[in-house]
Amino acid sequence: FFSGFVGHMSLTVEKQISEERKEELGIASWSTWGCGVSEFPWQYSDQETFWLIKGEVTITPAGGQPVTLTAGDLGTAPKGMKCTWKVTKDLEKHYQFA
């Protein structure tokens, strides 16, 4: 007997978050990472929340739809999510693992 639904993991996005939201999350104290225009596979070993300082990226979860984030957007990727990052403009982000 099997019951249930197995779906793909997805990215949660909050577009253009406010200064208040950034302060609430404490984003200024998070670590920073950046990279140039590139494309690479990635798998999250832990849940990660990140805020784009600058740049643009399209993240395509395995089996899911591509999602584009730009500077000012907040993203949360679940632990275990496999995806492809396609950085289309030099990127810098603040990030924090759960």
Side-chain angles (χ1 to χ4, degrees), residues 44-67:
Y44 289 90
S45 54
D46 287 296
Q47 175 178 295
E48 180 184 330
T49 301
F50 56 92
W51 180 74
L52 293 193
I53 300 165
K54 68 174 190 174
E56 182 177 272
V57 60
T58 298
I59 301 172
T60 305
Q65 295 299 309
V67 178

Side-chain angles (χ1 to χ4, degrees), residues 4-74:
F5 170 77
V6 178
H8 67 274
M9 294 184 160
S10 62
L11 187 69
T12 303
V13 178
E14 292 178 48
K15 301 298 266 182
Q16 304 301 305
I17 64 168
S18 66
E19 287 300 317
E20 292 78 18
R21 180 78 169 122
K22 284 167 52 182
E23 287 175 21
E24 173 192 328
L25 293 168
I27 288 173
S29 67
W30 295 0
S31 300
T32 306
W33 179 85
C35 72
V37 173
S38 55
E39 186 170 351
F40 54 91
W42 190 254
Q43 180 170 1
Y44 289 90
S45 54
D46 287 296
Q47 175 178 295
E48 180 184 330
T49 301
F50 56 92
W51 180 74
L52 293 193
I53 300 165
K54 68 174 190 174
E56 182 177 272
V57 60
T58 298
I59 301 172
T60 305
Q65 295 299 309
V67 178
T68 299
L69 292 94
T70 57
D73 291 348
L74 182 77

